[in-house]
Amino acid sequence: MSFRIGHGYDIHRLVSGRPLVLGGVKFEVDYGLDGHSDADCLTHAICDALLGAAGLPDIGHFFPNTDPTFKNIDSQVLLKRVVASLGERGYKVINLDSSLIAEKPKIAPKLNAMKTVLASSLGIPVEAVGVKATTNEGVGDLGRGLAIAAHAVALIEQR
Ligand SMILES: [Zn+2]
């Protein structure tokens, strides 16, 4: 058996007039993340962790923000494509862990929903998906609520 780990990081600016989607779950607030796709920074960080584990280029290489095909696309579609692409290369996802850094909104009530959606996209049990949330304690631009960031690590196995 051959195990490989990968790390991903992403950040998107908070703006008004955009839907807020994190981990494939919509938040009922009047602001959202700016970006070409649905700007789901958690799911993008997870995609990058998986691609990195397989030694592949990052999400921007596979889904460029200059391509109109990906305008406002549901990032779960991108994540499923990443998992399928790893599958074609003989890799299976074992588990992943992730952290959201968000001053607002409150993330905790949606954690389980996010895990369920991500587990489904990843094709792994919900127990194999970690999603945690913290604030930046008011420090810096993240602390002022100007953006939401996410870190993710993933373990994959070569069959
Ligand atoms: Zn992103």
Side-chain angles (χ1 to χ4, degrees):
M1 279 184 296
S2 168
F3 292 105
R4 305 173 63 132
I5 61 167
H7 168 262
Y9 170 78
D10 195 27
I11 183 169
H12 283 261
R13 285 178 188 278
L14 275 173
V15 291
S16 57
R18 287 265 306 175
L20 180 63
V21 181
L22 294 168
V25 173
K26 195 163 184 301
F27 285 69
E28 300 304 325
V29 289
D30 60 1
Y31 51 84
L33 293 171
D34 197 19
H36 185 66
S37 66
D38 65 6
D40 182 343
C41 65
L42 175 59
T43 300
H44 295 175
I46 291 168
C47 286
D48 273 351
L50 292 166
L51 291 166
L56 294 168
D58 71 8
I59 185 173
H61 173 87
F62 291 99
F63 312 112
N65 62 12
T66 49
D67 187 337
T69 314
F70 304 122
K71 181 81 182 152
N72 293 326
I73 195 169
D74 176 355
S75 291
Q76 298 312 302
V77 172
L78 307 183
L79 178 56
K80 285 175 195 166
R81 284 200 208 165
V82 166
V83 171
S85 172
L86 260 57
E88 285 162 16
R89 291 170 169 80
Y91 294 114
K92 188 175 91 139
V93 182
I94 304 297
N95 80 307
L96 79 91
D97 190 19
S98 61
S99 298
L100 268 170
I101 306 164
E103 214 67 24
K104 62 177 188 180
K106 285 241 177 302
I107 306 287
K110 305 265 196 197
L111 282 179
N112 284 334
M114 289 192 275
K115 285 185 193 182
T116 302
V117 170
L118 291 168
S120 166
S121 296
L122 290 157
I124 60 177
V126 73
E127 297 79 21
V129 179
V131 182
K132 308 179 300 302
T134 184
T135 69
N136 217 39
E137 293 288 341
V139 178
D141 289 343
L142 281 173
R144 286 203 291 279
L146 297 181
I148 293 179
H151 294 264
V153 288
L155 182 69
I156 63 174
E157 179 189 357
Q158 192 157 34
R159 287 174 292 209

